[in-house]
Amino acid sequence: MNGLMLLIPVALGMGAIGLAMFFWAMRDGQFEDLDGAAQRILIDDDEEDEQC
């Protein structure tokens, strides 16, 4: 029982920190362009140079 009195606040604190970090990442624009990086990796740089 004494262990739960310590572990429950620690778990709630870690959850609050994780939630705060998630909201910080959302505000910072971390999740704005999820498909852009996936599309950019498929683009061949040599083809762009030849078309110009």
Side-chain angles (χ1 to χ4, degrees):
M1 187 62 135
N2 290 336
L4 288 177
M5 293 179 74
L6 175 67
L7 291 177
I8 290 175
V10 169
L12 290 174
M14 289 175 63
I17 290 171
L19 188 63
M21 291 177 71
F22 172 74
F23 283 129
W24 172 74
M26 288 290 295
R27 185 192 58 193
D28 205 35
Q30 184 73 23
F31 304 112
E32 288 294 321
D33 187 18
L34 295 177
D35 294 328
Q39 297 292 331
R40 262 184 265 123
I41 201 166
L42 298 174
I43 296 172
D44 191 15
D45 291 336
D46 295 335
E47 290 178 9
E48 289 180 5
D49 293 337
E50 292 173 4
Q51 292 175 357
C52 293

